[in-house]
């Protein structure tokens, strides 16, 4: 008698770490890993992914159920894709079913047919626009990466804004396309895809597949299948595009590699940058990480000679570096956060018909509504946070849980009518600027003003064709955009970044200052950057402005080394939350006890302590931090711990999640 064939499958959205076993159908001997199946699960049926077959099971065979049916004739994922996903599930200690589902667009997860209806017209990949003549740094970067085609190497393209990194990418892409291989290009933000897409379209005649979360299910499925089938050669997308199967992969490019948007901050918390490097390693292809402000991790990897450094120290063409100045705003009267000096510079810039970019990282009208009569403050009942005033929508809104109330004019505590809007948000700044410069067009770019489809494109057009004079916005503006006529950039409030408890904050602030500065004077005109601060002698600011980002990064790395912080150690953060106040702490305390019992390698276990925002969306939140200088030792403990955590009494009563290499300790 032949032994029955057993199928080991991953099931999405099921928080289990192991594979599920089913019986193969008759004549199912040749089913291959990488296909989708439908399987009975509880009272329903689910789409599952076949990962392995076997003739043996740890379970009694007669208890196994047969699958319902086979969806795909041929595997959608190749062996190398499965290998990567398996590595990722292990590294992030995340349930394999959820990792697998991240690799598929929603339509395929739901079991829809894996066929593309409309194929894009393909033309030969000739060069459309003429390419520029490269400078020495660019040519060196191109030559070095080109020598490494067909082997794994990580390159850090470390080029100031406007130094011509994109030009380097495009020439490398061209070579890979000529070799009939595929290229994966990742950017941190959806808003950065249109401009890169345009530049690619002007350069290459090949079809460009786009993948990010604002597309429809059908669009995403099509992009996925175009790449997976090898029909299309160039994929441009955000973090979620990372797992798209690419049978002829030749090169991975990740732009703005320092950006924390590459780290998924909920659910399956992977770092697209780190996984991209592993993907390059498995596929044996070069990975190019580009940034004007490289992360400390990547710079440290350069120091360790794991990554190759490709510096582009100068702006391309004739563009000059911007002039950066600090404005001391202590004891100054500010008008809606604007100092006299800044207002004068704005006026002078407008007179020259040049554009201005003002940066304020706070949405809404004002962050606090307070009663002058009794001191009452509008708080969110579900979070440890104030409600933010949104005048345009006539709302009070919590930025952490989304709770909304009508904007009130009477104090609910003392019934007086003396409610004051305290502080400054982008809406208020917009209003004030419109009053101060009535004949000028002011536009505001933040998550509220760009939420409608097409809104951001409209704004970008208005900036590019010169209709907009003053552009104000949040960090949405800080990234990668190229505005040739902007010559004045100002950060209204640098100080909020100087006093965070998170050790990443110095690095993030320095990156922000340099990135925002990079938005000014990108072509022939001299750019000016003004930083308003009440800490004009703060070492970070002084050092950054005097010595530049590279020197800043060096001394910041030295500080991290002395404190044993990443990248000199490795961290994982276990978070727990519950509606019941004491459960998360009790749970994490028992996890900590369990971990201490298992801990042969002396992994540091810190906590449990309340999360920086101890209550959010009605949930009480605690966290437990693990840290060790040896990555393998940390992961050995985590593996054991995760395997045993379900034996704890409270494991099913609280919600918990593990964040490996956290970038945000919130
Ligand atoms: P980055 O991506 O580093 O910000 P870009 O590639 O966008 O820089 O280049 C900035 C500007 O300089 C673009 O307008 C680009 O066309 C131009 N440029 C790039 N390389 C050169 C070069 N070698 N000589 C002259 N101009 C260049
Ligand atoms: Zn009151
Ligand atoms: Zn809230």
């Amino acid at each position: 008698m032949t032994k029955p064939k057993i199928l080991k499958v991953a099931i999405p959205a099921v928080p289990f770490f192991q594979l599920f076993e089913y019986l193969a159908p008759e004549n199912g001997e040749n089913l291959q890993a990488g296909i989708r199946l439908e399987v009975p699960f509880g009272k329903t049926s689910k789409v599952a992914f076949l990962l392995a077959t076997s003739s043996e099971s740890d379970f009694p065979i007669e208890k196994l159920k047969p699958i319902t049916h086979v969806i795909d004739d041929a595997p959608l994922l190749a062996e190398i894709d499965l290998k990567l996903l398996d590595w990722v599930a292990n590294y992030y200690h995340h349930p394999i079913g959820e990792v697998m589902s991240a690799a598929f667009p929603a339509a395929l997860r739901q079991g829809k047919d894996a066929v593309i209806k409309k194929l894009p017209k393909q033309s030969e990949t000739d060069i459309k626009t003429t390419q520029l003549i490269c400078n020495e740094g660019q040519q060196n970067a191109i030559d070095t990466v080109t020598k490494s085609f067909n082997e794994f190497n990580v390159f850090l393209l470390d080029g100031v804004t406007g130094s011509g990194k994109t030009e380097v990418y495009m020439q490398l892409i061209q070579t890979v396309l000529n070799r009939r291989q595929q290229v994966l290009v990742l950017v941190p933000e959806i808003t950065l895809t249109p401009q890169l897409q345009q530049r690619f379209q002007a350069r290459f005649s090949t079809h460009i597949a786009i993948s990010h979360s604002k597309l429809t299910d059908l669009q995403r499925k099509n992009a996925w299948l175009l790449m997976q089938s090898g029909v299309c050669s160039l994929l441009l997308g955000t973090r979620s595009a990372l797992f798209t199967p690419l049978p002829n992969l030749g090169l991975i490019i990740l732009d703005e590699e320092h950006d924390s948007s590459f780290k998924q901050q909920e659910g399956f918390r992977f770092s697209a940058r780190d996984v991209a490097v592993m993907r390059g390693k498995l596929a044996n292809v070069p990975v190019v990480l580009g940034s004007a402000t490289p992360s400390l991790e990547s710079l440290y990897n350069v120091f360790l000679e794991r990554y190759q450094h490709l510096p582009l120290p100068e702006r391309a063409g004739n563009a000059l570096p911007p002039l950066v100045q600090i404005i001391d705003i202590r004891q100054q009267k500010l008008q809606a956060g604007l100092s006299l000096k800044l207002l004068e510079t704005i006026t002078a810039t407008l007179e020259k018909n040049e554009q201005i970019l003002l940066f304020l990282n706070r949405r809404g009208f004002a962050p606090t509504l307070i009663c002058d009569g009794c001191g009452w403050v509008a708080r969110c009942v579900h979070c440890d946070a104030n409600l933010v005033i949104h005048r345009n929508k006539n709302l009070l809104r919590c930025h952490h849980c989304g709770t909304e109330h009508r904007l009130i004019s009477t104090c609910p505590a003392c019934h007086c009518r003396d409610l004051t809007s305290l502080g400054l948000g982008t809406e208020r700044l917009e209003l004030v600027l419109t009053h101060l410069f009535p004949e000028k067009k002011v536009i505001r770019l933040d998550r509220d003003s760009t939420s409608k489809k097409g809104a951001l494109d409209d704004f970008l057009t208005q900036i590019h064709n010169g209709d907009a004079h003053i552009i104000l916005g949040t960090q949405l503006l800080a990234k990668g955009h190229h505005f040739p006529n902007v010559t004045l950039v100002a950060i209204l409030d640098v100080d909020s970044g100087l006093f965070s408890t998170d050790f990443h904050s110095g690095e993030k602030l320095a990156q922000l200052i340099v990135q925002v500065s990079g938005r000014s004077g990108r072509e022939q005109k001299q750019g000016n950057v003004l930083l308003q601060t009440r800490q004009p002698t703060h070492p970070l600011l002084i050092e950054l402005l005097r010595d530049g980002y590279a020197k800043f990064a060096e001394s910041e790395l030295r500080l991290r080394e002395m404190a044993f912080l990443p990248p000199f150690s490795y961290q994982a953060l276990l978070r727990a939350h519950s509606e019941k106040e004491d459960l998360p702490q009790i749970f994490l305390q028992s996890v900590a006890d369990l971990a201490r019992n298992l801990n042969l390698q002396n992994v540091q276990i810190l906590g449990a302590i309340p999360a920086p925002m101890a209550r959010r969306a009605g949930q009480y939140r605690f966290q437990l931090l693990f840290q060790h200088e040896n990555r393998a030792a940390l992961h050995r403990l985590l593996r054991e711990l995760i395997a045993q955590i379900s034996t704890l009494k409270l494991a099913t009563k609280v919600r918990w999640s593990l964040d490996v290499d956290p970038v945000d300790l919130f």
Side-chain angles (χ1 to χ4, degrees), residues 74 132 140 155 166 209 245 270 378 411 458 508 528 538 587 605 608 626:
L132 297 150
N140 171 56
F155 300 95
T166 311
F270 67 99
C411 172
D458 286 351
K508 284 183 185 160
N528 281 299
H538 196 286
F587 169 69
I605 302 163
F626 300 89

Side-chain angles (χ1 to χ4, degrees), residues 286-355:
V287 179
V288 177
L289 308 177
S291 177
T293 52
S295 61
L296 296 185
E297 286 91 344
S298 294
L299 288 169
Y300 185 54
N301 278 322
V302 166
F303 171 79
L304 295 175
E305 297 182 353
R306 286 188 194 142
Y307 294 0
Q308 267 195 65
H309 196 212
L310 303 174
L312 298 179
E314 273 145 40
R315 285 193 163 188
N318 304 321
L320 296 165
L323 275 180
V324 187
Q325 274 178 283
I326 285 179
I327 302 182
D328 180 358
I329 53 169
R330 286 175 299 183
Q331 291 157 19
Q332 284 214 24
K333 241 181 114 105
L334 302 179
Q335 195 162 1
L338 304 160
S339 62
L340 191 61
K341 164 101 201 254
L342 177 53
L343 277 169
E344 285 168 1
T345 319
I346 291 176
T347 309
T349 309
L350 289 172
E351 275 165 12
K352 285 190 282 182
N353 266 325
E354 294 169 357
Q355 291 170 309

